[in-house]
Structures are given as C-alpha cells and as structure tokens.
Amino acid sequence: MTIKLTTKPLSTPLSRRNLLKAGAATAAGLAAPSFFVRNAWAAGKTMQIGIWGGVQGEFIRKQVLPSFEKEFDCKVDAQQGSTLGQIALLRAGKDAPKFTVMFVDDLGVEIAKREGLIDPLPRDKMPNLAKVYPRFIYNDGYGVALAISSAGLFYNPQATKPLESYAELWDPRFARKVSLVGTKTTPSVFTVIIAAAIATGKPYKEAQYLADQAWPKLKELKPNVLNLYSTDDAPLLVAQGQGAIGGPEYSKYVYPYKLKGASIDMCFPKEGAFTGVNCQILVKNAPNADLGAEFMNRMLDPAIQQGLAETALAAPAVSGLSFKPEIAGLLAYPESKMDELGLFSPDWAYVNSVRSSWIENLNQIFTA
C-alpha cells in the first residue's frame, strides 16, 4: 500500500528573519517575572552601605536586604557602625567613595553636609519621601529620618515615682542614686542643655546656647551621681537595684527591658523630651547612586517603616501607620503625640561646634 503525503504551502515564507521573530516571541512567553525586566539595569551590581548594629541592623539584614537583592538582582554589602564612625569612613573615602548610602543620626547629617560628604536626596527617585513628616527631612533635603526615639529618664518604679521636673534630680533623696549617661554617647549633650535650662529657667531652645550656666549646676549634681554609664544595659542595672533613676537616654534602649518584664519605665519631665533620630544619607558622587536611591526609597516604604518601628520600638518617620496598643503606648507617634511630649532637637550646627569642650567639662566634673 502506498501512502501519499500532501502538504499545504506555508502562509508565511520561511526565512532567517521570520525564524528569529518566532524565537523572540517564544522567549518572551517564557521570560522571567516582570520585575527582573524592569530592574535589569541593576542586575549584577554590588552596593556598599553603612547601617546600624543592634536590633535595627538585624531587622535590615533579615527583613529588607534579601528581598531587595532578589528584586534588583544585586548584592548589598552592609557594614554596621555608629554615627561618628560612619562620618570617619566618609571622610576617608571622600576622593574615591566606596559607600553609597550611610545611616547616621541627625547630628551626623549636619556634619556630612557641611563637609561636602553627601549629595541631596534624589527626590524624583524617592516617591516615599511624600509620606515623611516634613520635620524629619533634614538640612534642606540632605537627610531623612527612618526612626525616632524620645529621650528622657528611666527609673525603677519600685524605687521612685516618675519625676515631674528635671530639677528633682538635684534632690537629696537621690544621693548616689542617679546613673548618668557617659560622655561617649550623644545624650551627654542633653545633660548640658537640661542643666542650663534648670539653672536659667529658659526653654531648651534658648538654654542650649547658655552652657556656661550649666557647669556650676552640674557640679551641684555630683553628690547624687552613682556612676557614668556607657553601655546599653544601664536601664537593666537600675531595674536590678543599682540606683533609682538614670539617663537621659533614648526610649529604644529602655522599653525592650520593660516589655520583658523588668522593673523599669520612662518619664519625660515637664521641660520636654529630646529626639534621637536615625537618618539615611546619600554619599556624594556615590557608586551606583541610582541603586542607592531605590534602597533609600525602600526604607521609607510604609511596610518597612512599620516593621522597623515594631522591632526597634522607635517611631516611624512616615504618616498614616497604626500599631497595637502595647506598641503604640511606647512610641512618640503620631505627630500629635510628638508635640505633646515637646520633642526637642538641638541646633546641631551649634552643638557640634562646641561638643568637644562640653565633653571635656563633663569629664572634669564627674570623673576628676
């Protein structure tokens, strides 16, 4: 039996060009998810950033970087450090920057801008900036907050009631019961401003420029000072009975102990609370600056801000978030609550210029 094969003519002539078109169409149907196409410009790039340590740094490493690296098919090398250490790295690399994004406190934004170490925030590439409370965009758009702590006094409720005024620290009932923040950390400058405010009766906004009035007042405080601390576990030691009260200190270092059941709480005397603001900045002439802008925008995403706030117990910089009551009670949030606490941020341009002399005077008074 003979089988006869018949064929129909091709509707489209077979050619190298048509074969290529067909192959491209097939490849498009099997393409990777759309975000890989959209972010192809970032594929294979490596970006170096400076972040914080502690629970904030851990959150970023575990909850932010993996998804960001996957979405942009890139590698982010995160190095942790403190504000002044980060500034030192920027100075060392000024002529040939290695870092793209740096996390610093608000005092560091002023230093970095003044020394020409950073570029303005790329607003056109950071749409989430529109969600940030305006008060938390710093130095004419050169830095933006990520987390805000309120600084006040921590105390053991079994040893004392909360203070209504900082002036009570000088009361004889606190003889050798005050754990005072040491000079290695930023809140030590709050000590000077507080003393000047008590000595002069002026609000912080004016008292910060009247440090000469603070030194005699601080000498009078010395009999009440048990120790100068420099570690984050100072609140726990007070909770365990070493002294009755301490600070001034950031809430993010105190409230975690409270949540774990320690006999510790915070009070914010009538003179007002201070702010401790963690910020991000874009390094001047940074490598992979576009990728840096994407990362900075990601850090301001409401979901990231929510998670960071709940993890670090520090208020978010963006509006419109809500928290469970047990968390909300520990945060200076929303903006109306910040106003109720009288949150004050020093004039860092001025304070940075005199800080070394302040630290020297504090050391002479309390360590001599």
Side-chain angles (χ1 to χ4, degrees), residues 79-99:
Q79 178 177 325
Q80 70 182 48
S82 61
T83 293
L84 295 183
Q86 310 286 48
I87 294 296
L89 289 172
L90 293 183
R91 288 168 175 158
K94 185 174 183 179
D95 294 333
K98 295 180 179 179
F99 288 87

Side-chain angles (χ1 to χ4, degrees), residues 194-256:
I194 289 167
I198 298 302
T200 64
K202 302 288 187 180
Y204 293 155
K205 186 175 182 179
E206 298 176 38
Q208 64 183 326
Y209 305 112
L210 303 173
D212 288 346
Q213 304 296 314
W215 313 125
K217 194 66 180 175
L218 287 170
K219 289 179 181 178
E220 296 173 8
L221 182 64
K222 188 172 182 180
N224 286 5
V225 175
L226 174 64
N227 66 294
L228 264 65
Y229 69 85
S230 58
T231 58
D232 295 342
D233 63 351
L236 180 60
L237 297 178
V238 168
Q240 293 172 345
Q242 295 187 31
I245 196 164
E249 190 53 86
Y250 295 132
S251 54
K252 66 180 181 180
Y253 295 128
V254 181
Y255 284 143

